[in-house]
Amino acid sequence: ITLMFIICAIWQFCTVAYISNRSSKLLNIASLKHVMFAPMSFFDTTPLGRIINRFTKDTDVLDNEIAEQARLVCNGVGNAIGILILCVIYLPWFAILIPFLIGFIAMLFSYYQATSREVKRLEGVARSFVFSNFDEVLQGMPTIKSYSASKMFLERNSKNLNRMNESYLTSICLMRWFSIPLHGTSAIITLLVSMLCASNAYHI
């Protein structure tokens, strides 16, 4: 069993690392290709910060966050499936609860995903304003200094950063909110199984 666990862990890490690296590489190549061959009207209507955002935040997510999140998901899903299988083996009547449990979690995830997608979109738009403002300041530094307008651009940058951090904080709060019903459901199931085992409701 230990040898099988080690083999599965190595396979999991190698698979996640390969998919993450390949996804990041394909995203960079595709993004660079589309930007290089984009018409001038695209650059006239698309803010520069939004373009930079694709090559910074999205690449960082694929390089650093996606692999770790995928590993956590694999471990969590594997543990959950193993626990449910053991519960059904020792307590056959527990299988009746599984469809309702899956439906409840799917409903929660659907609600969370729809909200999280919109919050992530707002965060991306706010981050684009930060990059655009920073690029404008770099390009117009002589003009800003000549008119003594540094304070105005500092306040604008602080405002853009606060708006971006508000969206990021909201996304973190959504993750914590989603974990509360999941942990609550897990605690209730653990309590029910423990009570059934302790009360000797089913002879094992």
Side-chain angles (χ1 to χ4, degrees), residues 8-21:
C8 291
I10 294 174
W11 172 76
Q12 173 192 332
F13 281 117
C14 293
T15 304
V16 170
Y18 172 76
I19 293 176
S20 176
N21 292 334

Side-chain angles (χ1 to χ4, degrees), residues 6-7 47 58 69 78 95 98 133 148 165 173 183 197 199:
I6 294 174
I7 293 174
D58 292 354
Q69 295 298 327
I98 293 180
N133 182 69
S148 299
N165 290 332
C173 293
H183 285 85
C197 294
S199 62

Side-chain angles (χ1 to χ4, degrees), residues 185-196:
T185 305
S186 175
I188 292 173
I189 292 175
T190 303
L191 177 64
L192 291 176
V193 173
S194 301
M195 290 178 64
L196 290 174

Side-chain angles (χ1 to χ4, degrees), residues 42-58:
F42 172 77
F43 298 98
D44 293 335
T45 57
T46 305
L48 183 61
R50 190 175 300 173
I51 299 174
I52 298 176
N53 197 18
R54 299 286 81 81
F55 291 97
T56 54
K57 177 61 178 178
D58 292 354

Side-chain angles (χ1 to χ4, degrees), residues 96-110:
I96 300 176
L97 183 63
I98 293 180
F100 299 98
L101 180 64
I102 294 176
F104 176 72
I105 293 176
M107 181 185 66
L108 280 177
F109 182 75
S110 176

Side-chain angles (χ1 to χ4, degrees), residues 24-34:
S24 180
K25 181 179 178 181
L26 291 177
L27 175 68
N28 274 308
I29 293 176
S31 300
L32 185 61
K33 181 179 178 181
H34 284 84

Side-chain angles (χ1 to χ4, degrees), residues 88-141:
V88 171
I89 290 175
Y90 288 104
L91 301 172
W93 287 100
F94 184 80
I96 300 176
L97 183 63
I98 293 180
F100 299 98
L101 180 64
I102 294 176
F104 176 72
I105 293 176
M107 181 185 66
L108 280 177
F109 182 75
S110 176
Y111 184 75
Y112 162 77
Q113 188 180 27
T115 309
S116 178
R117 186 186 299 115
E118 292 299 319
V119 172
K120 287 291 185 182
R121 184 183 63 80
L122 293 176
E123 182 187 351
V125 172
R127 182 176 289 103
S128 299
F129 281 114
V130 173
F131 290 147
S132 298
N133 182 69
F134 190 74
D135 182 70
E136 291 173 1
V137 170
L138 289 179
Q139 292 183 4
M141 186 67 69

